[in-house]
Amino acid sequence: MPAAVPARIGWALELLDLQPDDEVLEIGCGSGAAMELACRALDGGHITGIDRSATAVARASARLGAELAAGTADLRTAPLASLEAPASSFGKALAVNINTFWTGPAHAELQVLRRVLRPDGLLLLVYETPGRPDRQLNGAAASLRAHGLEPEILHGPGPRLGALTVRF
Ligand SMILES: C[S@@+](CC[C@H](N)C(=O)[O-])C[C@H]1O[C@@H](n2cnc3c(N)ncnc32)[C@H](O)[C@@H]1O
């Protein structure tokens, strides 16, 4: 029986509203569950998953064999702050349960996103926490505002889910 999709990942994919030709970056892809779902919505588009953990990337690589072989997905072991990609590579970026954006100002990471996202590109941050994700949402919103961005906070289906969307 296929594993159930965690609520945070199902909601993230819903909010991302993928179009077949989207070029997508997932930050902190973990074992690749969101990437696997995203690939089903892509036809001509592409998703790059990055994770700073080589173990996570190895797990994602095992899960995404067909998608990697088809060229719909690729994986890199890298922290977001050192991501090497041409300017304006991606129209959408998502990060699910990634601490980087709310635990500190994330200046280096947001500078990378400003470069690799297209003008008006979308960043989606989703948090699923044991209680309400207020600390995560408020902390990430502060980081984004300090970078001159105007995030919108969304409250999820259920009290443990929250998200931010922002256009660059
Ligand atoms: C809590 S797990 C979440 C994994 C997946 N997104 C999910 O929701 O199941 C966080 C993952 O993000 C990765 N990570 C955290 N900060 C990162 C960063 N700044 N750049 C790249 N990967 C990061 C970690 O190595 C870890 O695999």
Side-chain angles (χ1 to χ4, degrees):
M1 188 188 296
V5 176
R8 64 184 180 283
I9 288 175
W11 192 45
L13 268 289
E14 203 181 303
L15 292 174
L16 208 53
D17 187 26
L18 285 177
Q19 303 304 305
D21 60 350
D22 274 341
E23 298 289 334
V24 187
L25 172 67
E26 184 176 7
I27 304 150
C29 62
S31 63
M35 288 182 70
E36 185 178 28
L37 283 182
C39 284
R40 292 186 199 160
L42 296 174
D43 184 5
H46 185 85
I47 184 163
T48 294
I50 66 165
D51 202 295
R52 64 187 177 193
S53 155
T55 306
V57 169
R59 288 201 186 112
S61 182
R63 179 194 288 257
L64 297 168
E67 292 82 358
L68 295 169
T72 311
D74 78 296
L75 289 164
R76 317 228 191 122
T77 304
L80 174 58
S82 356
L83 174 64
E84 289 183 14
S88 300
S89 292
F90 306 104
K92 294 177 179 173
L94 82 151
V96 183
N97 273 2
I98 304 304
N99 289 337
T100 304
F101 297 99
W102 71 271
T103 51
H107 283 314
E109 289 80 2
L110 289 169
Q111 267 173 1
V112 168
L113 287 173
R114 195 174 279 291
R115 186 176 61 77
V116 302
L117 275 174
R118 294 182 188 140
D120 206 36
L122 178 83
L123 172 64
L124 169 68
L125 306 178
V126 172
Y127 298 99
E128 182 175 39
T129 51
R132 290 167 55 92
D134 294 336
R135 269 194 324 152
Q136 288 78 3
L137 294 175
N138 293 334
S143 301
L144 294 166
R145 287 189 192 114
H147 205 75
L149 297 164
E150 295 177 12
E152 181 183 2
I153 293 182
L154 305 170
H155 294 285
R160 300 169 56 239
L161 281 171
L164 291 127
T165 59
V166 65
R167 294 267 171 198
F168 274 66

